[in-house]
Amino acid sequence: MKFAEYIKTVEIDALWGKRKHILWHLDRHVNILSGVNGIGKSTILRKTLLNSDGVHLTLFPEDATELRCDVIEKFTIEPDALLDKLEKQFVEYKSSADEARSARIQLFYDYVDKLYGQTEKAILREADGIRLMQEGDILTTRQLSSGEKQMMLIFLTVLLEDCQPYVLFMDEPEVSLHVDWQQELVSIITEMNPNIQLILTTHSPAVIMNGWLDKVTEVSDITVN
């Protein structure tokens, strides 16, 4: 078994049952798919993730047989349950941390403090799990707002990849996020894991205008007759 570092190309036959198909040459690190509602952004993302019938992926290296990947949905049905699961994984990750992992955990703490500090929250670094202090009260992740939960899901998912080459699919991750957080999203993810390949859909100008405009692909540009 050999894991791929990233996806080079995605080809999808007969999207929506039509004769047109998709041919998308991907960037090694950041790929942002844009287009009007109903054009097929989420469908392309989902088909690529599932690697279902009619989908052809070219991986790097070419002899790779497996792909490490994860997905952040725009609407997580049970965010609390998923956060509980990720928090347990974080506790295990922290308990076995070497010097490199400890540095990644500190970067995670720093970003939580930077963003959540806007509402006077700070993460309790000595806690085994995820706890935040706000005006003397200790909060769990279940007590966070929907946007704070969404960002925490993203933070923990990226951290627990352990800086491995990895593909992260995100479908409109800006949902519930304040515009300031949208602007920082891609930069934070790529700093937390420089080996990541990010493939996301978005309607938000804020996500792409902070240095990522050249990574945007319109669905119409990858649709082949």
Side-chain angles (χ1 to χ4, degrees), residues 37-176:
N37 288 329
I39 201 170
K41 300 185 301 298
S42 296
T43 300
I44 293 169
L45 201 75
R46 186 163 51 252
K47 283 182 173 288
T48 303
L49 172 65
L50 296 175
N51 195 12
S52 52
D53 290 343
V55 178
H56 312 282
L57 304 182
T58 304
L59 305 177
F60 180 86
E62 293 183 356
D63 60 344
T65 57
E66 299 291 336
L67 184 69
R68 291 188 182 92
C69 62
D70 214 328
V71 60
I72 302 290
E73 303 281 4
K74 57 185 171 184
F75 296 112
T76 302
I77 297 175
E78 296 182 351
D80 289 337
L82 182 52
L83 279 169
D84 288 347
K85 178 181 177 181
L86 290 172
E87 185 173 350
K88 289 179 181 178
Q89 294 174 7
F90 171 75
V91 171
E92 295 176 1
Y93 184 84
K94 185 177 179 180
S95 68
S96 60
D98 56 14
E99 184 176 349
R101 280 189 175 183
S102 295
R104 289 193 282 273
I105 291 170
Q106 292 308 312
L107 183 61
F108 159 69
Y109 286 155
D110 289 344
Y111 273 126
V112 172
D113 282 346
K114 178 183 178 181
L115 299 189
Y116 293 64
Q118 296 171 3
T119 53
E120 300 184 359
K121 296 183 183 73
I123 195 161
L124 295 176
R125 301 182 181 222
E126 67 275 12
D128 290 332
I130 307 297
R131 297 291 183 272
L132 296 101
M133 179 74 74
Q134 183 183 37
E135 297 181 350
D137 294 327
I138 297 177
L139 308 178
T140 68
T141 56
R142 287 176 175 260
Q143 294 169 283
L144 300 176
S145 71
S146 58
E148 289 172 327
K149 289 178 181 180
Q150 173 80 343
M151 186 60 87
M152 189 65 74
L153 283 170
I154 295 170
F155 276 157
L156 289 172
T157 298
V158 175
L159 173 66
L160 294 170
E161 293 165 4
D162 205 25
C163 219
Q164 299 179 92
Y166 205 87
V167 182
L168 180 60
F169 296 87
M170 299 202 298
D171 189 12
E172 297 182 26
E174 70 272 10
V175 173
S176 298

Side-chain angles (χ1 to χ4, degrees), residues 158 161-166 188-196:
V158 175
E161 293 165 4
D162 205 25
C163 219
Q164 299 179 92
Y166 205 87
I188 290 173
I189 290 172
T190 53
E191 183 174 357
M192 288 183 68
N193 185 348
N195 297 313
I196 204 168

